[in-house]
Amino acid sequence: MIRRTQAERSDETTGRLVEAARERFGATGYAPTSIDAVAAAAGVTKGAAYHHFGGKAELFRAAFVAELEAVDAKLLAIAAEEADVWAALRRGCRTFLEHCLDPGFRQIVLLDAPAVLGWETVREIEHDHMLRILRDGLRMAVAAGLAPDGDLDARAQLVFGALCEGGMLLARSKEPAADLPGIAAEADRLLSALVTPPR
């Protein structure tokens, strides 16, 4: 039998806690979820949860980052699959909005994160995840001659802000799946105004 190191055991416990946090915070929201409930779902003690995370807010932050990383993986896969930068941008934006239909993502990222972490912290974390991928896509579009040059940081912020607002519309909708096509179409029109598609 191969003995695991302390670091490996610690990583495993941390991973289980983060997955349990995503499940519990995503299902019931931040306020009603106790760190005891997350620890129980992860199969660890409350003391272990506090050992790996300073408290409930820190555990929520880890769940928030994990949710963003899951979207990042989808967006990067799209970028690798699509030969055309413009098609990748459009599909990536649509994929983000589709992901907003996921109840856990909606609860953690769209509804709870701004209140729990603060808007500045949320944007700071997103800057290293989805926003970075969008900005890189816009730069590739400019390099390929598919979009005009300009302040791409500002352009990426504008597009991302619109997508987040679209996500919030879906998060507050009574029928998000039914509203998705219309919101996605409007997001696509906005993207078309900021990026010149190939003719």
Side-chain angles (χ1 to χ4, degrees), residues 85-148:
V85 177
W86 171 242
L89 278 169
R90 293 182 68 194
R91 187 176 157 202
C93 290
R94 170 76 186 218
T95 297
F96 170 77
L97 291 173
E98 289 173 348
H99 201 75
C100 291
L101 298 182
D102 177 77
F105 180 86
R106 187 166 64 241
Q107 186 66 48
I108 293 171
V109 175
L110 300 177
L111 298 179
D112 284 342
V116 176
L117 302 176
W119 191 248
E120 289 187 7
T121 298
V122 166
R123 272 295 186 260
E124 180 183 332
I125 296 171
E126 289 174 338
H127 191 275
D128 293 329
H129 292 278
M130 297 176 295
L131 184 54
R132 173 184 54 80
I133 294 171
L134 175 60
R135 188 173 58 250
D136 290 346
L138 291 172
R139 284 178 178 157
M140 290 175 65
V142 170
L146 303 179

Side-chain angles (χ1 to χ4, degrees), residues 1-189:
M1 180 181 293
I2 300 176
R3 285 191 170 184
R4 293 180 302 161
T5 65
Q6 179 62 36
E8 289 172 334
R9 289 193 297 272
S10 178
D11 288 345
E12 181 189 359
T13 301
T14 299
R16 285 163 60 189
L17 281 165
V18 171
E19 283 308 304
R22 290 174 70 186
E23 177 189 335
R24 300 307 306 154
F25 288 132
T28 59
Y30 180 79
T33 301
S34 67
I35 200 164
D36 304 63
V38 174
V44 303
T45 65
K46 178 180 176 181
Y50 277 106
H51 173 73
H52 291 277
F53 297 94
K56 183 176 166 181
E58 187 177 329
L59 186 54
F60 177 85
R61 179 185 175 124
F64 173 71
V65 171
E67 288 290 337
L68 298 189
E69 289 173 345
V71 179
D72 289 350
K74 286 187 176 182
L75 298 179
L76 291 172
I78 288 170
E81 291 169 4
E82 295 286 352
D84 181 87
V85 177
W86 171 242
L89 278 169
R90 293 182 68 194
R91 187 176 157 202
C93 290
R94 170 76 186 218
T95 297
F96 170 77
L97 291 173
E98 289 173 348
H99 201 75
C100 291
L101 298 182
D102 177 77
F105 180 86
R106 187 166 64 241
Q107 186 66 48
I108 293 171
V109 175
L110 300 177
L111 298 179
D112 284 342
V116 176
L117 302 176
W119 191 248
E120 289 187 7
T121 298
V122 166
R123 272 295 186 260
E124 180 183 332
I125 296 171
E126 289 174 338
H127 191 275
D128 293 329
H129 292 278
M130 297 176 295
L131 184 54
R132 173 184 54 80
I133 294 171
L134 175 60
R135 188 173 58 250
D136 290 346
L138 291 172
R139 284 178 178 157
M140 290 175 65
V142 170
L146 303 179
D149 201 358
D151 188 340
L152 297 185
D153 286 335
R155 192 180 304 167
Q157 290 275 4
L158 289 168
V159 174
F160 187 65
L163 290 172
C164 288
E165 284 301 313
M168 289 303 296
L169 287 173
L170 292 170
R172 295 191 175 107
S173 171
K174 292 181 179 178
E175 298 183 12
D179 290 339
L180 173 63
I183 292 173
E186 292 305 322
D188 194 61
R189 289 188 183 96

